[in-house]
């Protein structure tokens, strides 16, 4: 088993024993710094995450003597599992790979880090990004404060967070034309995740244009589908794309539109 092999495979194709492999690396005092960063990144996958791995990651995050980049990566690893736990609410013991007490501890820790002005900004921003995966009442104000800073990194974090926190449709639409490519990408993602109807025309324009950077275009195609699958399918279905990633994204929108049409049809039948 090698880290670069795992990076190239989708997590559902990972072999057994990944959790133990990542634990071995993260607990090795002589591990290569780059390997530690990769291992912490891979630990975010729910198929790898576990209670022992969560405890090791927490130890890294709270160790001021560890490199800042590693602490931030270890903190980021909790994003997916926080979202999973928040959705499942621990109703299925086999669904969430960490204990409820650990979930509570992580949520307390990320807020503590975010609120502590003595912590490095990188760690505070990452804490905010992780914390919104399990939304709480304090997030709207925190995201608004981050967005109000005259700092591109904080604004980028804020727009990322808008994918998970309602009440920012205006800001999402405004940032679809941001001069910062990273912020614009996150605005497209947020528009799709929250189904922001006011963003549809601009998102669809990005999706249709061959001049749009490919990563942004794929994101825009998917976002258009989530906002209005039926209309997006009509417009995008007429496009010919030789690029397999863009073609696959368009196919997903077509499938989504078909599924939604079937659901609507079933509902109409029931009404009759």
């Amino acid at each position: 088993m090698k880290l670069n092999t795992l990076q190239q495979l989708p997590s559902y194709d990972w072999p057994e024993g990944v959790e133990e492999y990542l634990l071995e690396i993260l607990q090795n005092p002589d591990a290569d710094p780059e390997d530690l960063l990769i291992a912490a990144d891979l630990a975010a996958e729910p198929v790898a995450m576990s209670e022992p791995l969560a405890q090791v990651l927490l130890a890294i995050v709270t160790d001021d003597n560890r490199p800042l980049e590693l602490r931030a990566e270890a903190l980021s690893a909790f994003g997916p599992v926080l979202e999973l736990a928040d959705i499942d609410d621990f109703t299925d013991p086999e669904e969430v790979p960490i204990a409820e007490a650990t979930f509570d501890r992580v949520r307390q820790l990320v807020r503590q880090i975010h609120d502590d002005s003595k912590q490095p900004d990188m760690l505070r921003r990452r804490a905010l990004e992780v914390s919104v995966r399990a939304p709480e009442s304090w997030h709207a104000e925190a995201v608004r404060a981050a967005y109000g800073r005259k700092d591109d990194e904080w604004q980028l974090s804020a727009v990322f967070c808008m994918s998970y926190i309602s009440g920012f449709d205006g800001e999402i639409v405004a940032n679809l034309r941001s001069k910062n490519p990273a912020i614009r990408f996150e605005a497209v993602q947020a528009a799709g995740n929250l189904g922001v109807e006011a963003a549809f025309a601009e998102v669809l324009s990005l999706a249709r244009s061959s001049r749009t950077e490919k990563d942004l275009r794929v994101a825009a195609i998917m976002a258009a589908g989530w906002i209005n699958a039926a209309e997006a399918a009509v417009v995008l279905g007429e496009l010919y794309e030789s690029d397999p990633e863009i073609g696959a994204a368009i196919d997903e929108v077509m499938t989504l539109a078909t599924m939604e049409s079937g659901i609507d049809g079933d509902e109409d039948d029931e009404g009759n």
Side-chain angles (χ1 to χ4, degrees), residues 12-50:
Y12 56 76
D13 281 340
W14 284 358
E16 293 184 5
V18 169
E19 175 207 345
E20 292 79 6
Y21 177 60
L22 296 180
L23 275 171
E24 182 180 345
I25 294 171
L26 292 169
Q27 292 179 302
N28 181 1
D30 300 318
D32 181 86
E34 184 62 28
D35 286 351
L36 288 170
L37 287 170
I38 296 172
D41 176 57
L42 295 176
E45 292 291 341
V47 297
M49 181 60 74
S50 66

Side-chain angles (χ1 to χ4, degrees), residues 151-251:
D151 180 289
D152 280 356
E153 294 296 332
W154 275 104
Q155 290 183 355
L156 175 60
S157 291
V159 178
F160 168 86
C161 292
M162 291 174 191
S163 280
Y164 302 92
I165 306 296
S166 61
F168 292 95
D169 287 9
E171 289 83 354
I172 290 169
V173 172
N175 280 284
L176 292 172
R177 296 193 177 187
S178 172
K179 294 180 179 179
N180 184 318
I183 290 178
R184 183 155 69 153
F185 182 89
E186 293 301 339
V188 168
Q189 294 275 75
N193 287 349
L194 296 184
V196 181
E197 293 183 4
F200 183 68
E202 182 68 25
V203 168
L204 191 60
S205 177
L206 290 169
R208 294 179 65 187
S209 176
S210 60
R211 295 190 297 272
T212 303
E213 183 181 349
K214 187 170 82 169
D215 286 351
L216 179 60
R217 191 178 183 195
V218 170
I221 291 168
M222 297 305 301
W226 284 113
I227 297 170
N228 188 332
E231 187 171 343
V234 170
V235 176
L236 299 176
E238 297 176 352
L239 300 180
Y240 168 76
E241 290 298 340
S242 58
D243 185 284
E245 289 183 55
I246 292 175
I250 293 174
D251 286 344

Side-chain angles (χ1 to χ4, degrees), residues 51-69:
E51 182 62 27
L53 193 52
Q55 296 304 322
V56 170
L57 291 167
L58 281 169
I60 292 173
V61 172
T62 55
D63 187 349
D64 293 341
N65 295 318
R66 304 300 289 266
L68 176 58
E69 292 78 5

Side-chain angles (χ1 to χ4, degrees), residues 95-166:
E95 189 68 22
V96 183
I98 61 172
E100 188 169 1
T102 300
F103 170 74
D104 292 337
R105 183 186 173 197
V106 173
R107 292 219 295 181
Q108 292 168 3
L109 177 63
V110 290
R111 182 167 190 185
Q112 178 184 337
I113 291 173
H114 169 266
D115 291 349
D116 186 356
S117 61
K118 295 181 181 179
Q119 290 287 347
D121 271 5
M122 176 190 287
L123 205 61
R124 294 181 66 204
R125 290 195 307 270
R126 203 65 61 89
L128 181 60
E129 293 167 9
V130 169
S131 68
V132 296
R133 305 290 286 272
E136 297 185 78
S137 59
W138 64 274
H139 282 130
E141 182 179 348
V143 171
R144 193 166 286 112
Y147 185 69
R149 287 174 176 251
K150 294 183 178 180
D151 180 289
D152 280 356
E153 294 296 332
W154 275 104
Q155 290 183 355
L156 175 60
S157 291
V159 178
F160 168 86
C161 292
M162 291 174 191
S163 280
Y164 302 92
I165 306 296
S166 61

